[in-house]
Structures are given as structure tokens and as C-alpha cells.
Amino acid sequence: MNIGLPEAWKTLCAHDDILLLTHRLPDGDAVGSLFALYEALSAMGKRVRYLLDTPPQDVNFLVREYTGDVFEPLFVVTVDVADRKLVYETPGTAYGDRVDLSIDHHASNNLFARQTLVLPEDAAAAEVLFELFTFGGVRITPRIADCLYTGIATDTGCFRYPNTTAATLRAAAALVDAGADNGRINTDIFETKSLAYVEFEASVMRSVQMFLDNRCAVATIPLSLFASTGVTEADAKAVNALPRQIEGVLAGVTVKERPEGGWRISVRTRAPLSASEICKRFGGGGHALAAGCELDGDLQTVVPQIVKAVEQELTSKNI
Amino acid sequence: MNIGLPEAWKTLCAHDDILLLTHRLPDGDAVGSLFALYEALSAMGKRVRYLLDTPPQDVNFLVREYTGDVFEPLFVVTVDVADRKLVYETPGTAYGDRVDLSIDHHASNNLFARQTLVLPEDAAAAEVLFELFTFGGVRITPRIADCLYTGIATDTGCFRYPNTTAATLRAAAALVDAGADNGRINTDIFETKSLAYVEFEASVMRSVQMFLDNRCAVATIPLSLFASTGVTEADAKAVNALPRQIEGVLAGVTVKERPEGGWRISVRTRAPLSASEICKRFGGGGHALAAGCELDGDLQTVVPQIVKAVEQELTSKNI
């Protein structure tokens, strides 16, 4: 069931012994939102714990080890998760099946939780939390400000993407006023590349193939490139933005080999082309301009499948 | 003489037949600030003209051809110019010698104009103009909003650089509310690269040499690379940010061969290292973390000179 800010706030206030979850392969928004909510609920005197998959290197500075009891939760909350199957869980737990409240900004959220606060106009789950905290009168400490700023900056490409609204910029301004160290966070996330990553990025760009009259660019990343450069899958997310940057490209696709077999596909589009529609054809989803899915098979069959889907989406939009 | 917002606004209101100038090799802040001021003064019923060097491709959308009379100016204003010798003039004119008002954000502004409004805390000349227009009650049209937003976005690397304050983000929010097409502008400036530019950038990164225990990275760009890729000097400015991005680098230097001979040096640093101090040694200047200078000689002597200056600045800061 969809709920609004007042009801979500009331529900959070009414519960204790809370478990926080987010998605597998967490990005800066997942990590930032999880810890912001952890801090806010802890400050309210609640017992809170979380489960978190390995975060990318560049947002490690936000991570605090949980040293409390592993209590049995009475209330389960997800942040930045659109679908039950994306929830990160540890072996033997199935908390994703009993999520009480999902706090999210994905239009594609499939209402898997008992109650869902989803604000699809918001650029990040962290922006939803900023609104929720503002509604609830939560004191934004410098630590919470760092967490929320990181979430918003990550999901907007530091305010570059068209999901950035005036409200997003105002939220960021308020977080900087509250003590978010935006200069250092931006430097860490956006302005620092290891020499290994520079090499990785160059290889990814060399792999780009152009299709559909240069309107579709596909980069392919074999496991061997991760191995030879030492770049991890979590750290490699930033390259997803690159193929779409090529002039004239409407769909930029990144095809990454998965350690467990098969391929993880990232699709970034320019409006009006829908990345979400393209990925839905393969059981995936996401945002209008940034979505993902997974495919099995070898590269010789996977790439043409994706290109075909992009072509169908182009046709359906009369482009 | 330094003046504040009220006096600068009063001076602008009191004059007519105004010529607007900015610096050679204009960037998005120079172009955006020039046209924002042009629009605001024109809307006040004043006769205004401008001189503008070839702008970079990605901000061409802001440029409007001047079709009025080439009148003799009674009042000369520069925007985003820190030093008389940087002023762009056409052959035979020497308006730079009689600048009445300099509107700027460079701490290094050497007060070459009769009156100077310089706000060094502001991230861009466009942010200074935003404050000036707010003070004067100028109606921010969508066109002015596009111009000012472009200036601010350019000089902050789209809010990534540490010069971005809460006030900068609030100004951007107000400009988006006033109609700035931030999504499209960001896409044009930051998220679109021609295939030629992708190739150019890869070559620049391959040219990087590391010095001073990997704390100084130097990229060199010969004229032949401009020729072979077709990338112009104005369009090549974005690579100036790349060498500093390498992990551990405190000074990222780009050395570009000039068509007229000699080398144009761009220095980007991380605090507390001062790019401005490094460039001052060679008669250049700029901001604390981004500055420039020019050097003659061959590459074998130019690069060691710069590296030596970086080393001296490291030593002076006890790093």
C-alpha cells in the first residue's frame, strides 16, 4: 500500500527493534540512505541494526561497523529498493519477505512491502529521507548530512542528470549548511580515480561498439578485465555512464560478465527513450533513463538481444 | 577601487552605451555572464554591445549574434576577467585600457579597472551577477537563467569542486525555478563527448607522466593532437581537470602547445597546495585550486620548470 510522508513518519515513530535493508551491490544512495536512517532512528532511542552488502570503495567513509546485538527485528525497513528480489540478505535470513516499510524513489517500485513511501519525482532515496526528516523535525547532524548528501550526489551524477530538480538543489544546500562536507565527498566520489581505474575506463571505452546508426553504443566488460586491473564490480559502476556520453547516442549499454555466470546489463538512455522499458523486456527495471537487467548466454547472443530491444523501443517512440 | 553590490548596481544604472568584454578563450562562465548582463541591461532600455572571442562548442547555444550599431561606448564593463592582459579585444581597439567596471570572482583580480566588484567567495562570475541581479530586483527570464546557470555549472564542474557553497546551490535552485534548462545544459556541457573528443581524451591520459612521488601528474598536448583529432583549444579545456583526478595527485598539470608558439599551462591542485602560487612564478594566476600561465621554450625545459615550481610549492607548504 502506498503511503505519504505523514503516515510513514508515524509508522516509523511507532515501532522499535528495527532492521534496515537495502539492495545488493549498494551504491552511494543505498549506503547513504541506510546510515542516515540508522542515525536518525538511533537518535530517537530506538534499537536499530542493518544488513549491508560490500559497498563501493568511494563511499566506504560512510560505513560504520555494527557492534550491537543481533536482535530479532520487529519492524523491517528497506531503502532504495524497488523489488523484493533486489534485497540484500545474508544466508538463512529471508527478511525481504516481510518488509514492513519500503522508502524509495523508483517509479518502478512494485509495492512488495506492506507499506511503501515512494516519491518518484525525487532524485534519490536520500532526497525522500531528507523530506521525511524535515517533516518529522529530525535534527540533521553533520553525519546525517554527509550520508544524505552522498546519496543525492551519487544518484544525480553530482547534479548533472535530468532528475535534478530545484528541490534537489535546495536539499543539497540545506545539507551543506547542516555540515555536509560536499567538497571532500565530491572529490572522493567524482574526482578521484586510481591508476587502475583509469586503465579500466580506457579499456571499457575501447570496447565500445556502435549500432543502429550510432544511436546505440555497447561496451562489454569481461571478467578478465576486472581481474587484470583489480577493479571491483562495485567500483566499476561509474563506467555505466560513459557509453551514453558519446554524441548522438540515445542508448548507452554496458554489458558486464558476472562471476556467477551470465551478464549484468546497464542501460542509460536519453529522453524520450526509456531504459526502464528496454530492461523490462528481460525482467529488469529501474528509472526512465537508467535501468538494468540480467541475461544469460554468450556475448554473441546477448549483445544482439539488447540491441534488438533498443531498436524496438526506438520504433515504439517513432525515433 | 573595490566596490560592493549596492555601488556596482548604482553605477550600472547610471550609465548607458555600454560595452561588455570578457577574457580570451572564453569558457561557460565568461559567455554566460556576458550574455546574462547583456540581457539584463538591454531589458533596462540601455544600448549595449559586446566583443566575444570564439566560444567553446558546448556553450554555443547561449551565443546571440549582435546586430545593432557599433557605437562608441561611454562605459566599459568586463566580466570574469582578473587582469587587463586577459581581456579579449579586436584589432585596433584598446578598450581593456579604459575599463570602468570589472565584475569578477577571482581573488587574484589586480584591480585593473576604475571600479571593481569582486566576490572571491563566489564560485563564478555568474554567481556574482546572480547576487547583483537579486540586489537590483532584475527579473530573471529563462534566457538569463540559462546564462547564469551555465556560468555557475561550468566553474564548479557542475557543483563538484570545493568552490561550491550552500549559496551556490541555492542560486542554482533559484535559476532552475526561473526556467534554466539544467538537464539539457548539463547534458550538453558535461555528458556529451564527440568520438573525436573521446579519442583526444584517451591520448591526453596516455601522455601523463608522474613526478614527485606520484604527487604531480603532467599531461602534454602537442599541436599535432589538435590537428589529428579536430578538437579545438576551446573545446579541449575539459581535459585540464583530468590529471588531478589520479589518486594521490596533488598537482595536475596540462601543457598545451600554442599555435603562436610556446605553451599554455593549466595547473589544478588539491588543498592546501596553491595552483595560483605555482602559476604566479611564471607571471600567471587564477584561483587557489585552478590557475594558468604561459611558458616559452621546448617541452624538455618547460616540463621540468613546472615540476620544479610544484616541488617548491610542496616544500613551502611542508607537504
Side-chain angles (χ1 to χ4, degrees):
Chain A
M1 188 180 64
N2 265 306
I3 58 172
L5 290 170
E7 197 168 351
W9 181 247
K10 200 172 134 193
T11 302
L12 275 178
C13 288
H15 289 89
D16 204 338
D17 287 5
I18 299 172
L19 175 69
L20 304 182
L21 303 173
T22 186
H23 57 79
R24 279 179 281 121
L25 285 178
D27 54 10
D29 190 27
V31 176
S33 295
L34 184 121
F35 282 106
L37 189 53
Y38 177 86
E39 296 289 335
L41 294 173
S42 298
M44 292 160 75
K46 297 179 186 297
R47 191 157 71 150
V48 194
R49 67 181 183 99
Y50 61 82
L51 296 178
L52 180 63
D53 196 1
T54 312
Q57 180 84 33
D58 57 9
V59 298
N60 248 332
F61 69 97
L62 290 180
V63 175
R64 299 283 180 275
E65 208 189 331
Y66 179 74
T67 54
D69 296 339
V70 182
F71 58 84
E72 183 57 28
L74 298 176
F75 194 72
V76 179
V77 182
T78 59
V79 289
D80 200 36
V81 179
D83 189 313
R84 189 266 170 270
K85 70 173 188 276
L86 302 174
V87 175
Y88 171 73
E89 295 161 304
T90 45
T93 66
Y95 293 118
D97 290 333
R98 42 163 286 209
V99 177
D100 295 291
L101 176 62
S102 159
I103 299 175
D104 191 22
H105 70 119
H106 295 85
S108 61
N109 189 301
N110 64 7
L111 306 182
F112 66 94
R114 203 165 53 74
Q115 293 189 302
T116 301
L117 169 65
V118 56
L119 302 180
E121 300 295 308
D122 281 9
E127 191 178 347
V128 179
L129 284 175
F130 175 79
E131 290 187 60
L132 188 63
F133 291 174
T134 303
F135 176 86
V138 171
R139 192 172 78 85
I140 308 286
T141 62
R143 160 95 176 132
I144 292 179
D146 275 350
C147 290
L148 294 181
Y149 180 88
T150 299
I152 292 174
T154 300
D155 268 20
T156 58
C158 209
F159 314 102
R160 287 188 181 182
Y161 301 154
N163 60 354
T164 306
T165 65
T168 314
L169 291 161
R170 269 200 195 92
L175 294 168
V176 171
D177 274 336
D181 194 354
N182 62 316
R184 190 182 63 96
I185 293 170
N186 295 341
T187 298
D188 284 1
I189 300 184
F190 300 109
E191 293 288 319
T192 304
K193 299 174 178 184
S194 64
L195 271 172
Y197 181 81
V198 169
E199 190 192 321
F200 180 82
E201 198 178 83
S203 293
V204 172
M205 289 312 284
R206 274 197 299 272
S207 81
V208 167
Q209 294 175 276
M210 306 295 285
F211 297 95
L212 306 173
D213 290 332
N214 295 333
R215 290 174 299 171
C216 176
V218 181
T220 48
I221 309 177
L223 275 180
S224 59
L225 185 62
F226 289 105
S228 67
T229 57
V231 169
T232 66
E233 192 175 353
D235 293 332
K237 275 201 173 179
V239 299
N240 293 348
L242 300 182
R244 183 181 55 184
Q245 287 181 348
I246 299 168
E247 201 166 17
V249 166
L250 297 175
V253 180
T254 313
V255 180
K256 287 178 186 146
E257 192 172 2
R258 304 188 326 160
E260 60 270 38
W263 306 86
R264 192 181 307 281
I265 320 287
S266 155
V267 179
R268 302 281 180 108
T269 56
R270 294 188 200 252
L273 211 63
S274 169
S276 177
E277 289 298 323
I278 293 165
C279 291
K280 265 191 204 161
R281 292 165 194 266
F282 306 108
H287 301 284
L289 304 182
C293 59
E294 291 176 359
L295 271 171
D296 289 322
D298 56 25
L299 213 49
Q300 288 69 24
T301 62
V302 166
V303 172
Q305 274 180 280
I306 292 285
V307 173
K308 180 92 184 160
V310 171
E311 188 174 22
Q312 288 168 344
E313 171 63 9
L314 282 164
T315 304
S316 81
K317 295 279 162 66
N318 289 311
I319 301 171
Chain B
M1 190 178 65
N2 266 306
I3 59 172
L5 290 170
E7 198 168 351
W9 180 246
K10 201 172 133 193
T11 301
L12 275 178
C13 289
H15 289 90
D16 204 338
D17 286 6
I18 298 171
L19 175 69
L20 304 182
L21 302 172
T22 185
H23 57 79
R24 280 179 282 122
L25 287 177
D27 55 9
D29 190 27
V31 175
S33 295
L34 184 121
F35 282 106
L37 189 53
Y38 178 86
E39 296 289 335
L41 295 173
S42 298
M44 292 159 76
K46 295 178 188 297
R47 192 157 70 150
V48 195
R49 68 182 182 97
Y50 61 83
L51 296 178
L52 180 63
D53 197 1
T54 312
Q57 181 84 35
D58 57 9
V59 298
N60 248 332
F61 69 97
L62 290 180
V63 176
R64 301 284 180 275
E65 209 188 330
Y66 179 73
T67 55
D69 295 339
V70 181
F71 58 84
E72 183 56 29
L74 298 177
F75 194 73
V76 179
V77 182
T78 59
V79 289
D80 199 36
V81 179
D83 188 312
R84 188 265 170 272
K85 69 173 189 275
L86 301 173
V87 175
Y88 171 73
E89 295 162 303
T90 46
T93 66
Y95 293 118
D97 290 332
R98 42 163 286 208
V99 177
D100 296 292
L101 176 61
S102 159
I103 299 174
D104 191 22
H105 69 120
H106 295 86
S108 61
N109 189 301
N110 64 6
L111 307 183
F112 66 95
R114 205 165 52 75
Q115 293 189 302
T116 301
L117 169 67
V118 56
L119 303 180
E121 300 295 309
D122 281 11
E127 191 178 348
V128 179
L129 285 175
F130 175 78
E131 290 187 59
L132 188 63
F133 291 175
T134 303
F135 176 86
V138 171
R139 192 172 76 85
I140 308 286
T141 61
R143 159 93 176 134
I144 292 178
D146 276 349
C147 289
L148 293 180
Y149 180 87
T150 299
I152 292 174
T154 300
D155 268 20
T156 58
C158 209
F159 313 103
R160 285 188 184 184
Y161 302 153
N163 60 353
T164 305
T165 66
T168 314
L169 290 161
R170 271 200 193 92
L175 294 169
V176 171
D177 274 336
D181 193 354
N182 62 317
R184 190 181 64 96
I185 293 170
N186 294 341
T187 299
D188 284 2
I189 299 183
F190 300 108
E191 293 288 320
T192 304
K193 299 174 177 182
S194 64
L195 272 171
Y197 182 80
V198 170
E199 191 191 320
F200 179 82
E201 198 177 81
S203 292
V204 171
M205 289 312 284
R206 273 196 299 272
S207 81
V208 168
Q209 294 175 277
M210 306 295 284
F211 298 94
L212 306 173
D213 291 333
N214 295 333
R215 292 174 300 172
C216 176
V218 181
T220 48
I221 309 176
L223 275 180
S224 59
L225 185 61
F226 290 105
S228 68
T229 56
V231 170
T232 67
E233 193 176 349
D235 293 332
K237 275 201 173 179
V239 298
N240 293 349
L242 302 182
R244 184 182 54 186
Q245 287 180 349
I246 299 168
E247 202 165 19
V249 166
L250 296 175
V253 179
T254 314
V255 180
K256 288 179 187 146
E257 193 172 1
R258 304 189 325 159
E260 61 270 39
W263 305 87
R264 192 182 307 282
I265 320 288
S266 155
V267 178
R268 303 280 180 108
T269 56
R270 295 188 200 253
L273 212 62
S274 168
S276 177
E277 288 300 322
I278 292 164
C279 291
K280 264 191 204 160
R281 292 166 194 265
F282 306 107
H287 301 284
L289 305 183
C293 60
E294 291 176 359
L295 272 171
D296 288 324
D298 55 25
L299 213 48
Q300 287 68 25
T301 63
V302 165
V303 172
Q305 274 181 277
I306 293 285
V307 172
K308 179 91 184 163
V310 171
E311 188 175 22
Q312 288 169 343
E313 170 64 9
L314 282 164
T315 304
S316 82
K317 295 280 161 64
N318 290 312
I319 303 171

